[in-house]
Amino acid sequence: MRIHHLRNATMVIESGDRFILVDPMLGEKGTAGPTFTLFRFKPKRNPILDLPTNAMEIVRKTTHCLITHLHPDHLDTAGEEFLKSNRIPITCSIKDEEDLKKRGLNAVNTVNYWEESNFLDGTIEGIPAKHGYGFVSKPMGNVMGFYVQLPGEKSMYLSADTIYTNDVEKALHKYKPDVAVVACGTAQLDLFQPLLMTMEDIVKFTKAAPGSVVANHLEAVNHCPTTRTQLRKELAEKGLLEKTYIPNDGEVIEIE
């Protein structure tokens, strides 16, 4: 298995002749939407940087798409246009199916929480995600993580945009994924508590993960202050860096 990390939460999982695009934010710098903060962090239109130059070469190989939720930093206009023009089959939360179909997207497979569904030649299961601490999680809407098992490949848990919850811990302990992907930008709006895990909870997630961890959602949108350098330093101090991949945009991770 190869993971092509592109930008933010956008990646392509390569498994044999299958190329699974995850959460496609494919637009140029500044085209996905307005700044998410005005005064807590410097206001900049998102994404705050372009895709790496090699990104579309791998994106054009897409055979399937996974969407965890519908925020513009996970599915932007350019991502929608790519999916529509190529009629890419999409797997999503049962709660997002209607919305995606209204947008003209090819949502062919829906997943429910804690229920196993067929996915390609393997299985997929929805894992609850809570997009923020306290009150802010309500207006952020529904998000779904995925536990994916493909024949002959390492099992993978895409935790999506979430804080550390009992459900996240349950997924790590119950399924023991070989690879666990975690959003590490500690996103925060001008008001309210963070939308993603604090550094303390990122450490907790990494400790609880039985296999390798892939850190994403870093340095691509203006409301995510945590940097790769800060994350490496913290994980190194806790003795967790060796089990963690912190890829640069455009980097390919080989999962043995």
Side-chain angles (χ1 to χ4, degrees):
M1 177 187 289
R2 289 178 179 170
I3 297 174
H4 301 259
H5 171 73
L6 302 185
R7 178 180 61 186
N8 202 49
T10 305
M11 66 174 71
V12 174
I13 302 165
E14 180 181 351
S15 174
D17 60 354
R18 294 190 171 105
F19 292 80
I20 305 163
L21 176 63
V22 180
D23 285 354
M25 178 175 63
L26 302 180
E28 296 178 358
K29 177 180 176 181
T31 62
T35 180
F36 292 138
T37 65
L38 294 174
F39 56 83
R40 185 185 293 276
F41 308 115
K42 186 176 180 179
K44 295 179 182 179
R45 287 186 62 85
N46 291 302
I48 60 175
L49 75 173
D50 284 318
L51 281 168
T53 55
N54 63 337
M56 291 310 296
E57 179 182 348
I58 192 68
V59 168
R60 281 190 285 269
K61 296 181 181 180
T62 297
T63 57
H64 203 91
C65 181
L66 271 176
I67 295 177
T68 65
H69 64 301
L70 306 183
H71 290 169
D73 59 330
H74 292 255
L75 177 64
D76 65 355
T77 301
E80 286 190 30
E81 288 304 316
F82 171 80
L83 295 174
K84 279 194 286 190
S85 63
N86 293 280
R87 292 302 292 164
I88 301 295
I90 296 169
T91 293
C92 64
S93 165
I94 195 169
K95 294 184 177 181
D96 291 331
E97 177 186 18
E98 183 178 353
D99 193 331
L100 289 171
K101 286 184 174 179
K102 283 181 179 178
R103 300 185 193 190
L105 298 176
N106 188 25
V108 299
N109 188 27
T110 55
V111 184
N112 211 341
Y113 296 113
W114 302 118
E115 291 183 11
E116 189 176 276
S117 302
N118 293 328
F119 180 62
L120 304 177
D121 294 327
T123 60
I124 188 168
E125 187 166 334
I127 309 298
K130 185 177 181 183
H131 200 340
Y133 295 87
F135 167 80
V136 74
S137 66
K138 296 185 185 300
M140 294 307 289
N142 64 282
V143 183
M144 179 176 280
F146 298 111
Y147 175 63
V148 180
Q149 292 181 290
L150 297 176
E153 299 286 11
K154 301 288 189 182
S155 60
M156 178 179 288
Y157 170 34
L158 298 163
S159 63
D161 278 15
T162 188
I163 62 173
Y164 195 86
T165 65
N166 290 337
D167 289 319
V168 170
E169 189 168 79
K170 176 182 173 181
L172 292 170
H173 290 165
K174 178 179 178 181
Y175 298 115
K176 296 180 172 52
D178 298 307
V179 182
V181 181
V182 58
C184 294
T186 320
Q188 193 163 5
L189 304 177
D190 285 329
L191 303 173
F192 310 116
Q193 297 185 67
L195 309 176
L196 299 173
M197 293 184 202
T198 61
M199 188 67 79
E200 180 182 356
D201 278 346
I202 294 168
V203 168
K204 187 185 295 185
F205 181 102
T206 307
K207 283 183 177 178
S212 300
V213 173
V214 176
N216 69 3
H217 217 305
L218 291 162
E219 301 180 33
V221 286
N222 87 299
H223 64 314
C224 285
T226 301
T227 66
R228 290 177 173 91
T229 299
Q230 291 170 329
L231 183 59
R232 285 191 189 95
K233 182 175 183 293
E234 186 70 22
L235 295 178
E237 290 176 356
K238 299 295 191 297
L240 297 169
L241 191 56
E242 286 188 3
K243 69 184 292 189
T244 308
Y245 297 94
I246 308 175
N248 292 317
D249 293 351
E251 188 173 339
V252 181
I253 301 169
E254 299 277 356
I255 306 294
E256 301 295 335

